[in-house]
Amino acid sequence: MSQAHNVFTSIHSFTSLPWVLALPLTAFLVRLCLITPLNIYSHQTVRRQVALQPLLSAWAHQLARRDAQGHGKRSWADQEKELKKELKHKRSETYRRLGIRRWTLFAPLINFPVWLVFMETIRRMCGTQEGLLGLIAKSFEQPKADEATAALSPVKEDVISTYIEPSMAFEGGLWFPDLLVPDPILILPFALSACFLATIVQQDRRALSRYGVLSKWQIRRSRISKIVVLAIGPLTLHLPSAMLIYWMASSLTILGQTMILESFLPIPPVVQAPGAKQPAAGN
């Protein structure tokens, strides 16, 4: 985490910006340099898969007709199982010949450990003893009279001397001048929820434009996700303002990058072969 701390302090000192601006700038630069290339590569993989969808859909239709005509004595369940197996083999063979690597779809997941390292670094810079999960768990605890600053608690001397940034106490902005403590009027936690909600709405619109209609699974996933993100506000009430600022900046950067990729490298709507079944999302 010392490298992440060096990144924060270097950007802060080089730009001479207050921490309330240096933190979002760091989030933007980290995603731009480390995560954006993986997102572009993954996005291009999706584009190539969608371009092949009519061919795969036609194969599925032809294989289904062949099984229906030549294997009438077999049960429907056996025919469907064999059809899925053959179609999976065809898809894998096609992807292999064209150099499409499906694992690249999961490459952007590397964002999570990077985000976690930088969030943990900010927590130490704020001087809080509890980890991220510990701070979230405080939302379920009954506040005590002697805990005026619940999220700010003493830490070990070596952690203080290595990471803590006292200047965060007066380089905030607007209604949160002190970034070492939680937002006093609780706007930042619910603004974070709004950022995640905007991301989910954008994902739904993207899926609707690609497939024409959302499947039951997609609708169910969207509703569950919206419930979860609405709970993020109450769960992050005890996080220092600095952590919330970085988290929001990172989320908005993800949303912005996705919208830019969709504008310059749009994924065309899925085209299926005549008479073929609507493909499932993600195939």
Side-chain angles (χ1 to χ4, degrees), residues 11 20 23 27 71 100 119 137 146 281:
I11 293 177
V20 70
L23 291 173
H71 300 80
I100 299 178
M119 284 288 286
D146 58 343

Side-chain angles (χ1 to χ4, degrees), residues 29-43:
L29 293 178
V30 168
R31 284 204 56 86
L32 183 65
C33 299
L34 300 181
I35 310 301
T36 299
L38 296 177
N39 281 346
I40 295 176
Y41 191 36
S42 176
H43 189 80

Side-chain angles (χ1 to χ4, degrees), residues 56-66 83 87 273-277:
L56 296 176
S57 181
W59 275 341
H61 183 56
Q62 292 298 326
L63 290 174
R65 289 180 56 186
R66 185 206 63 187
L83 173 62
L87 185 59
K277 186 179 179 180

Side-chain angles (χ1 to χ4, degrees), residues 45-56 267-271:
T45 300
V46 174
R47 283 168 52 90
R48 297 180 67 187
Q49 285 184 333
V50 171
L52 287 174
Q53 192 60 55
L55 178 61
L56 296 176
I267 297 177
V270 174
V271 179

Side-chain angles (χ1 to χ4, degrees), residues 229-249:
V229 299
L230 289 177
I232 288 179
L235 290 176
T236 57
L237 295 179
H238 293 282
L239 264 64
S241 298
M243 297 179 69
L244 293 174
I245 290 293
Y246 181 87
W247 199 345
M248 281 193 296

Side-chain angles (χ1 to χ4, degrees), residues 159-199:
V159 176
I160 293 178
S161 60
T162 305
Y163 288 98
I164 196 168
E165 295 290 339
S167 58
M168 282 189 175
F170 52 84
E171 290 191 8
L174 301 176
W175 68 90
F176 50 96
D178 188 355
L179 298 177
L180 301 178
V181 297
D183 182 1
I185 58 177
L186 308 181
I187 290 181
L188 293 180
F190 293 97
L192 179 61
S193 286
C195 293
F196 283 112
L197 187 61
T199 301

